[in-house]
């Protein structure tokens, strides 16, 4: 991203003033922003429910007569509020990453501007207080609204993910109040909200009427710091008007504006200690939850309560597959619970403030938060940032309005440790003005912004998708000079985070372990935030009711960015992906290592604040993947940043030659707000005795027999012309034959700005998806059968010369494969191994190897070695856009069986990747959505891979690291097949 600014283009001045939805102002008629209170003893009335709705194609197609009392809207449709009208049959969603879906001519928008008129008639409830005032509050409307009550215009506003209030006390009637809201899909505000998500217009958060009695709270600011040296907290609550603050647990009863210092337990994401308090004025009382903590940048580090923190974070858009950005509290809590269960400790609210209830849940459950302003102008990168609003003084009031509405609403949450100016806006004077205002208003937090590498306005150095080697240099503070020498020197003194890294699109991300190693090695590198939490697939069903998820292009958009909107650690239905399982393992706050042969285990506490007294530890001793002994492990309450070496028990005797290992696990000792007692937090495996080759059978080596068009060798039947195995005992099979193709992952296909490593495209150009197999020789001899083939694609001389040597002993059929490449290969291979077809009835899989989920060379950390069993259908990972998935790594043996017990067992040396599915890689490659995958009625396709290319995160981040690439090189591997049952 270039941060170079350009001369502003001055558009032609229209003959008449711009309409409110096109001017650069933030709006009119609204009240000043204030702190949000989850509860109050003042009366509140929810105006959510079914509203009358009319959609017009333009902003001016209808006049404002609908806002007058008595208007007949009986012919209108009904729509729920909160909601997005495009998800209720009115128009269609649009997905773009950063390109504006309309001509770029700020602040003007197209005449084709879908406009939704909303009407709600309501009565005041019995007991609504007399006197005082009332405010009408909107929590979120996209993208511009004009509001009337009982025929009187209240005002207009923009800033879709921010609240707006209007004073309405003098307009309210006991019965028959008419609330009218006109919402425009496009406005000048749309230029500030180009945030890599679905464009979804509507009143999508709650609408509330709140009574404001005489002497009510106009605003309040909770200041609760913590002195880690003295173990004391200082509380002061400023309020207008003044009142009293009580904290019963601490015995405090203070006037607002007064301070008290006393011993307290601090708030951290690991120990989210909150104190219940009450703030009371003459007219109103609100409950508060106070957390004491202090955030500083000191000595080049970001510290909370005196300690460096390490962010194990995620970026989070607000999204639900059926309701878009309309989320209920239960869904928010479910998200945060799932994060905590997967060791996530931080959230960046990309790229706007979330629903305010979400932040209260972060306070309660314990997560660090970067609260990000509702601001992104990424589309201006297409014109080298020309006319960028953040460097145009005319837009600065709108930017300051957005900053104020975020800070004032959210300022009382202890979970928020950083204010973010926005996302991907280039650089500009407006950002500096925002930073200055926020720093003046709230000096107790640090300021974040990634888009300006000079860090002129920020307190942290933030980057997106910096590759691993650069992160290492940054950690050592030896990164190359950048920009102004004085600013460069200042930046080098700042702590570093990756506000986005490890792009979780489709199968992936890979390379997490290496990033985490840098974060833990270099104190300046204080972690990062995976992009992102959830796939934004919109729920749909086929004609026969089969569910699937839609992405960009599925709604006939003029411009779209495909499935780039599906790049989360959980699927749209919030099922964890293998990427989330991997991330949990990589970032686990307890590291378990040691020497299994010597029987010692090292427990290292990687928490920032908590000791290990909240965990219990258990050990298991396993032989060939089965537990033969287990017990509890006594672990002292190791403090944060410390480790202890402990002795394991004497292992039991096991059969000679068996592979044995220790598994040690850390689990919650007691139930928490986010998980039950016994929830697994961390685990480690320590090899005790390495695998030896399975003993050879005593049965004599069989000689092949030829009859007509067949060759039989032990339990195997072969086609005499091609040398292909056609049956294993009573089971008909197809293959096995050499296979190098996989349905490219999103990360294989990569990003356009990294063409040299877009291997999915390169593989396809080379023809690896259409390899031909030429049989050069079928050679039976006294001890076996040799089949020689040349595997290559049309239009290239690149080839893989393959020799398959078959031998048999008893009921076992052994295949030794050697592969020699020919030609100058320009890239690694997708995979290298065998593809085998077995009868569809063999639908149950068992294996000894990595599991229970999938794993690839750079995503296998979470795969635990053991014995696993799953139906073949459950081995598939339903990525929203189908792609390579389902491989189990480090497999020693696998068995596929039918309900009657018949099956096939496969052993491998060295250990292999095992994949079983009811469709071929070519069918996966051809599918755009999951319903496109039609299971074969006849065959389960099995891949037995000697090697797999890693995954990386090239869809937006770095590619596959060198150790995880699959080079084109000579290879040799062996499999043993036997029929069973």
């Amino acid at each position: 991203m270039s941060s170079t600014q350009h001369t502003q283009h001055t558009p032609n001045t229209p003959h008449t003033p711009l309409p409110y939805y096109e001017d650069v102002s933030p709006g009119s008629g609204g009240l000043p922003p204030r702190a949000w209170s989850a509860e109050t003893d003042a009366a509140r009335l929810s105006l959510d429910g079914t509203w009358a709705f009319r959609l017009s194609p333009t902003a001016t197609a209808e006049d404002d007569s609908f806002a007058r009392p008595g208007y007949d809207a009986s012919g209108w449709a009904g729509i729920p509020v909160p909601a997005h009208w495009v998800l209720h049959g009115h128009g269609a969603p649009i997905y773009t990453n950063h390109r504006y879906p309309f001509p770029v001519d700020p602040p003007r928008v197209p005449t084709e501007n879908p406009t939704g008129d909303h009407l709600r008639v309501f009565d005041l409830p019995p007991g609504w207080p007399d006197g005082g005032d009332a405010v009408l509050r909107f929590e979120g409307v996209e993208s511009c609204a004009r509001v009337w009550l009982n025929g009187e215009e209240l005002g207009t506003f923009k800033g879709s993910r921010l609240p707006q209030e209007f004073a309405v006390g003098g307009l309210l009637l006991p019965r028959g109040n008419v609330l009218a809201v006109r919402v425009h899909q496009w406005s000048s505000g749309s230029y500030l909200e180009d945030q890599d998500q679905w464009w979804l217009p509507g009143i999508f958060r709650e609408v509330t009427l709140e009574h404001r009695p005489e002497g009510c709270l106009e605003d309040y600011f909770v200041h609760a710091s913590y002195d880690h040296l003295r173990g004391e907290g200082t509380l002061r609550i400023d309020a207008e008007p003044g009142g009293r603050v009580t904290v019963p647990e601490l015995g405090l009863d203070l006037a607002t504006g007064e301070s008290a210092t006393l011993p307290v337990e601090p708030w951290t994401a690991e120990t989210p200690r909150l104190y219940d308090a009450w703030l009371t004025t003459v007219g109103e009382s609100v409950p508060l939850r106070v957390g004491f903590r202090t955030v500083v940048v000191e000595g080049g580090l970001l510290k909370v309560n005196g300690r460096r923190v390490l962010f194990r974070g995620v970026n989070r858009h607000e999204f639900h597959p059926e309701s878009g950005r309309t989320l209920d509290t239960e869904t928010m809590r479910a998200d945060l619970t799932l994060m905590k269960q997967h060791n996530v400790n931080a959230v960046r609210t990309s790229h706007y403030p979330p629903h305010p209830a979400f932040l209260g849940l972060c306070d309660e459950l314990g997560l660090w938060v970067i609260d990000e302003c509702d601001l992104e102008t990424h589309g201006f990168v297409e014109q080298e940032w020309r006319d960028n609003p953040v460097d145009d003084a005319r837009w600065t009031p709108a930017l300051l309005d957005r900053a104020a509405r975020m800070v004032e609403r959210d300022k009382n949450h202890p979970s928020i440790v950083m204010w973010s100016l926005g996302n991907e806006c280039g650089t500009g004077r407006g950002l500096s003005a925002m930073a200055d205002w926020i720093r003046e208003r709230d000096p107790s937090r640090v300021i974040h912004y990634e888009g300006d590498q000079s860090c002129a306005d920020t307190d942290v150095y933030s980057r997106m998708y910096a590759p691993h080697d650069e992160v290492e240099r940054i950690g050592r503070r030896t990164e190359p000079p950048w920009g102004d020498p004085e600013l460069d020197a200042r930046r080098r003194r700042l702590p570093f985070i990756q506000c986005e890294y490890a792009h979780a699109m489709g199968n992936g991300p890979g390379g997490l372990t290496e990033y985490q190693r840098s974060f833990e090695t270099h104190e300046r590198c204080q972690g990062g935030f995976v992009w992102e939490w959830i796939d934004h697939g919109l729920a749909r069903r086929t004609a026969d009711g089969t569910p699937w998820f839609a992405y960009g292009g599925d709604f006939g958009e003029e411009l779209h960015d495909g499935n780039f909107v599906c790049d989360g650690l959980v699927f749209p239905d919030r099922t964890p992906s293998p990427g989330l399982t991997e991330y949990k393992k990589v970032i686990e706050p307890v590291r378990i290592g040691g020497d299994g042969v010597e029987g010692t285990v090292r427990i290292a506490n990687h928490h920032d604040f908590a000791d290990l007294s909240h965990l219990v530890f258990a050990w298991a001793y396993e032989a060939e993947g089965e537990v033969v002994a287990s017990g509890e492990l006594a672990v002292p309450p190791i403090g944060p940043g410390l480790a202890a070496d402990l002795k394991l028990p004497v292992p039991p005797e096991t059969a000679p030659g068996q592979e044995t290992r220790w598994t040690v696990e850390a689990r919650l000792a007691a139930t928490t707000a986010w998980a039950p007692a016994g929830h697994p937090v961390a685990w480690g495996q320590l090899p005790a005795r390495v695998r030896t080759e399975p003993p050879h059978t005593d049965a004599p080596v069989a000689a092949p027999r030829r009859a007509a068009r067949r060759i039989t060798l032990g339990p195997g039947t072969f086609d005499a012309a091609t040398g292909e195995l056609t049956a294993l005992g009573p089971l008909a099979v197809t293959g096995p034959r050499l296979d190098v193709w996989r349905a490219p992952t999103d990360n294989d296909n990569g990003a356009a700005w990294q063409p040299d490593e877009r291997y999915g495209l390169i593989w396809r150009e080379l023809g690896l998806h259409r390899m031909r197999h030429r049989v050069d020789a079928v050679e039976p001899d006294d001890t076996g059968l040799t089949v020689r083939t040349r595997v290559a694609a049309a239009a290239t001389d690149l080839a893989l010369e393959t020799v398959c040597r078959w031998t048999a002993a008893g009921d076992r059929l052994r295949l030794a494969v050697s592969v020699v490449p020919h030609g100058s290969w320009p890239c690694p291979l997708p995979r290298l191994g065998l593809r085998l077809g077995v009868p569809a009835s063999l639908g149950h899989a068992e294996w000894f190897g990595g599991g229970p989920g999938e794993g690839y060379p750079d995503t296998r950390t979470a795969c635990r070695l053991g014995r696993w069993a799953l139906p073949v259908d459950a081995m598939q990972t339903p990525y929203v856009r189908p792609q390579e998935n389902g491989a189990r790594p480090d497999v020693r043996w696998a068995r596929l069986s039918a309900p009657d017990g018949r099956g096939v067992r496969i052993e491998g040396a060295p250990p292999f990747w095992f994949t079983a599915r009811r469709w071929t890689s070519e069918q996966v490659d051809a599918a755009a959505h999951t319903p496109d995958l039609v299971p074969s009625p006849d065959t389960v396709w099995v891949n037995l891979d000697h090697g797999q290319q890693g995954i990386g995160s090239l869809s937006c981040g770095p590619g596959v690291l060198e150790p995880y690439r699959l080079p084109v090189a000579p290879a040799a591997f062996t499999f043993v097949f036997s029929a069973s049952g």
Side-chain angles (χ1 to χ4, degrees):
M1 175 188 297
S2 170
S3 62
T4 303
Q5 298 300 312
H6 298 266
T7 302
Q8 294 293 321
H9 164 70
T10 302
N12 293 327
T13 302
H15 296 294
T16 58
L18 292 176
Y20 65 91
Y21 53 86
E22 287 188 321
D23 67 32
V24 297
S25 74
S28 62
L31 293 169
R34 63 186 176 112
W36 183 78
S37 298
E39 299 177 46
T40 174
D41 65 356
R44 280 180 175 172
L45 174 64
S46 171
L47 297 178
D48 297 347
T50 300
W51 292 40
F53 178 77
R54 174 183 65 188
L55 182 65
S56 303
T58 69
T60 58
E62 301 285 350
D63 61 24
D64 60 6
S65 60
F66 79 102
R68 300 171 195 159
Y71 183 85
D72 182 7
S74 59
W76 290 20
I79 195 170
V81 170
H84 303 280
W85 69 66
V86 293
L87 300 183
H88 289 270
H90 305 280
I94 300 170
Y95 168 62
T96 60
N97 170 24
H98 69 267
R99 296 177 297 172
Y100 290 106
F102 47 78
V104 179
D105 182 24
R108 307 298 303 280
V109 294
T111 299
E112 297 86 353
N113 187 358
T115 295
D117 290 333
H118 301 68
L119 271 178
R120 174 80 152 89
V121 179
F122 66 94
D123 300 332
L124 295 180
W128 186 266
D130 294 327
D133 201 348
V135 297
L136 177 66
R137 182 180 178 92
F138 295 86
E139 297 293 348
V141 181
E142 182 175 330
S143 74
C144 175
R146 185 180 180 189
V147 186
W148 297 261
L149 180 63
N150 293 329
E152 294 291 330
E153 182 171 350
L154 303 180
T156 66
F157 65 97
K158 303 159 193 159
S160 298
R161 266 65 70 178
L162 294 162
Q164 185 65 64
E165 292 183 327
F166 297 98
V168 296
L171 299 175
L172 288 173
L173 304 171
R175 301 182 60 81
N177 292 283
V178 178
L179 176 58
V181 185
R182 172 163 285 173
V183 180
H184 306 286
Q185 175 157 11
W186 309 124
S187 71
S188 58
S190 302
Y191 286 101
L192 306 180
E193 297 172 5
D194 189 23
Q195 294 152 322
D196 185 13
Q197 60 180 335
W198 294 101
W199 299 87
L200 299 173
I203 305 173
F204 68 94
R205 288 183 185 160
E206 298 86 348
V207 182
T208 308
L209 183 69
E210 183 172 327
H211 182 244
R212 308 308 295 143
E214 295 290 339
C216 67
L217 273 168
E218 294 181 14
D219 196 15
Y220 60 97
F221 198 162
V222 177
H223 305 275
S225 61
Y226 181 73
D227 185 331
H228 66 281
L229 297 177
R230 300 173 62 90
E232 294 179 334
T234 299
L235 177 65
R236 186 187 86 247
I237 298 181
D238 298 329
E240 180 61 37
R244 298 205 68 79
V245 177
T246 57
V247 188
E249 188 176 357
L250 296 176
L252 288 180
D253 186 345
L254 301 172
T256 55
E258 292 182 353
S259 296
T261 300
L262 71 171
V264 296
E265 298 174 56
W267 188 98
T268 75
E270 295 168 7
T271 56
R273 182 66 160 94
L274 294 171
Y275 291 89
D276 290 329
W278 285 90
L279 171 58
T280 303
T281 67
V282 171
E284 184 178 13
S285 183
V286 299
L288 306 176
R289 306 197 78 187
V290 176
F292 292 88
R293 58 103 185 97
T294 295
V295 184
V296 297
V297 172
E298 180 180 79
L301 300 177
L302 176 63
K303 295 181 179 180
V304 179
N305 301 339
R307 296 187 65 90
R308 169 191 183 261
V309 296
L310 181 60
F311 297 111
R312 302 170 173 92
V314 294
N315 286 274
R316 175 189 176 267
H317 270 295
E318 291 193 308
F319 182 76
H320 190 281
E322 294 176 341
S323 58
R325 280 187 288 281
T326 300
L327 268 65
D328 57 28
T329 305
E330 290 74 20
T331 299
M332 300 176 210
R333 182 179 287 275
D335 275 346
L336 288 171
T337 297
L338 199 57
M339 291 178 195
K340 292 286 288 188
Q341 291 173 353
H342 287 81
N343 295 329
V344 171
N345 73 353
V347 177
R348 175 180 175 229
T349 69
S350 51
H351 297 295
Y352 42 83
H355 189 288
F358 180 82
L359 298 171
L361 292 170
C362 290
D363 297 340
E364 174 192 336
L365 297 175
L367 286 102
W368 309 114
V369 175
I370 300 179
D371 197 3
E372 190 151 272
C373 197
D374 190 12
L375 177 61
E376 180 171 338
T377 64
H378 198 177
F380 286 90
V381 73
E382 296 288 330
Q383 53 200 57
E384 298 182 314
W385 298 106
R386 186 176 62 255
D387 299 331
N388 186 6
V390 304
D391 200 36
D392 183 337
R394 295 174 300 171
W395 293 79
T396 298
L399 304 185
L400 290 172
D401 172 77
R402 288 172 182 247
R405 287 157 70 190
M406 171 183 70
V407 171
E408 300 295 5
R409 189 196 76 170
D410 298 343
K411 58 183 177 284
N412 296 320
H413 290 284
S415 57
I416 299 173
V417 294
M418 294 189 224
W419 299 116
S420 179
L421 303 180
N423 184 67
E424 292 179 309
C425 295
T427 61
R429 294 163 287 179
L431 293 168
S432 298
M434 293 171 68
D436 290 343
W437 185 91
I438 294 173
R439 195 169 275 118
E440 174 70 20
R441 177 62 173 142
D442 179 25
S444 71
R445 295 176 172 95
V446 301
I447 292 180
H448 167 272
Y449 177 65
E450 178 274 339
D452 182 4
Q453 289 190 37
S454 76
C455 300
D457 297 316
T458 68
D459 303 304
V460 296
Y461 176 29
S462 179
R463 290 285 302 281
M464 293 181 182
Y465 308 106
H468 299 78
D469 56 351
E470 184 178 0
V471 172
E472 282 286 309
R473 292 194 299 271
I474 292 170
R476 295 191 295 267
R477 302 184 193 266
T478 59
E479 66 268 27
W482 193 92
D484 176 84
E486 184 175 342
L487 286 174
D488 182 67
R490 177 182 176 275
R491 175 178 53 81
R492 290 172 186 275
R493 295 191 297 269
L494 297 179
F496 173 75
I497 65 167
Q498 288 246 59
C499 68
E500 293 180 22
Y501 82 115
H503 197 247
M505 186 176 180
N507 188 334
L512 286 169
T513 299
E514 288 71 22
Y515 273 127
Q516 193 67 16
R517 187 178 303 134
S518 292
F519 299 158
E520 294 174 359
T521 300
H522 304 292
E523 66 174 8
R524 183 192 188 190
C525 295
Q526 295 192 235
F529 297 77
V530 168
W531 186 266
E532 65 161 308
W533 175 242
I534 189 169
D535 286 343
H536 298 201
L538 290 169
R540 292 294 180 269
R541 289 186 179 271
T542 62
D544 65 1
T546 302
W548 59 285
F549 295 106
Y551 48 76
D554 288 329
F555 298 95
E557 300 102 308
E558 178 183 13
L559 293 176
H560 68 85
D561 288 295
N563 69 313
F564 201 71
V565 76
C566 295
D567 44 15
L569 291 169
V570 298
F571 296 122
D573 62 2
R574 288 178 159 75
T575 301
S577 78
L580 181 58
T581 305
E582 177 78 357
Y583 193 42
K584 174 182 179 177
K585 174 61 179 169
V586 168
I587 63 175
E588 58 190 9
V590 180
R591 289 295 160 79
I592 301 171
D595 187 332
V597 176
E598 294 296 323
T600 60
V601 60
R602 183 175 180 83
I603 309 293
N605 182 2
H606 284 245
H607 288 91
D608 296 323
F609 298 92
D611 66 23
L612 298 188
S613 60
H614 66 292
L615 301 175
V616 292
F617 291 77
W619 61 268
Y621 191 71
E622 300 161 5
E624 296 297 305
E626 293 190 324
V627 175
V628 294
S630 62
E632 295 183 359
L633 182 68
V635 176
I638 302 166
L642 302 178
D645 294 303
L646 306 171
K647 191 68 177 174
L648 291 164
V650 176
E653 292 292 329
T654 57
Q658 284 191 317
E659 181 176 2
T660 60
R661 68 188 57 242
W662 300 91
T663 297
V664 178
E665 192 168 56
R667 294 178 174 268
L668 288 180
T671 295
T672 69
W674 48 271
H679 168 78
V681 172
W683 58 271
Q685 289 191 304
L686 313 174
R689 186 165 60 217
V690 298
R691 180 190 190 215
T692 59
E693 287 296 315
H696 295 287
T697 178
D698 294 331
V701 175
R705 292 172 293 151
R706 184 160 188 162
R709 298 177 181 178
R710 295 183 301 169
I711 296 173
T712 58
L713 178 63
T717 302
F718 298 82
D719 185 294
T722 65
E724 189 167 291
L725 182 70
T726 60
L728 182 67
L731 296 175
V733 299
T734 304
R737 66 193 309 192
L738 192 75
D739 189 20
V740 297
W741 179 246
R742 74 183 188 193
T745 68
D746 293 312
N747 289 305
D748 288 338
N749 288 333
W753 57 87
Q754 302 183 80
D756 294 343
E757 294 187 35
R758 300 184 74 186
Y759 292 132
L761 279 61
I762 296 170
W763 295 333
R764 198 179 302 278
E765 185 177 352
L766 291 175
L768 300 193
H769 60 308
R770 48 179 173 81
M771 300 290 273
R772 303 293 185 182
H773 294 246
R774 186 184 74 203
V775 179
D776 288 339
V778 179
E779 302 170 341
D781 57 37
D782 291 342
T783 59
L785 173 67
T786 300
V787 181
R788 304 179 190 276
T789 59
R790 184 179 190 272
V791 182
T796 178
D797 64 350
L798 302 178
L800 299 168
E801 301 284 353
T802 305
V803 177
C804 293
R805 175 63 179 174
W806 293 93
T807 57
D811 63 353
R812 294 160 60 84
L813 186 63
R814 183 176 186 272
L815 171 58
V817 181
S818 64
V819 181
V820 177
H822 288 271
S824 180
W825 289 74
C827 61
L829 290 173
R831 68 178 349 129
L832 180 66
L834 304 177
R835 185 194 301 188
L836 171 70
V838 301
S841 60
L842 305 190
H844 185 75
E846 301 171 70
W847 70 98
F848 173 33
E854 73 181 32
Y856 290 81
D858 55 349
T859 66
R860 64 203 270 181
T861 307
C863 290
R864 189 184 307 205
L865 196 72
R867 289 188 62 166
W868 309 103
L870 282 173
V872 166
D873 295 336
M875 295 180 69
Q876 317 311 307
T877 304
Y879 294 113
V880 173
R881 185 192 72 81
Q883 55 197 271
E884 167 63 32
N885 74 90
R888 268 58 179 183
D890 303 315
V891 174
R892 279 69 166 150
W893 60 260
R895 184 175 184 271
L896 290 160
S897 60
D900 62 5
R902 294 182 307 121
V904 58
R905 178 184 167 99
I906 306 157
E907 302 168 48
F912 58 98
W913 271 269
F914 166 57
T915 310
R917 55 171 72 106
R918 296 189 185 274
W919 35 75
T920 65
S921 295
E922 290 77 13
Q923 290 169 322
V924 177
D925 185 22
H929 300 93
T930 50
D932 298 336
L933 293 170
V934 180
S936 167
D938 305 316
T939 308
V940 168
W941 294 100
V942 182
N943 278 95
L944 310 170
D945 290 316
H946 173 65
Q948 275 269 4
Q949 168 79 350
I951 298 297
S953 63
L954 195 75
S955 52
C956 194
V960 178
L961 294 172
E962 191 64 38
Y964 307 118
R965 299 184 184 187
L966 180 58
V968 183
F973 47 93
T974 301
F975 294 101
V976 176
F977 302 88
S978 56
S980 60

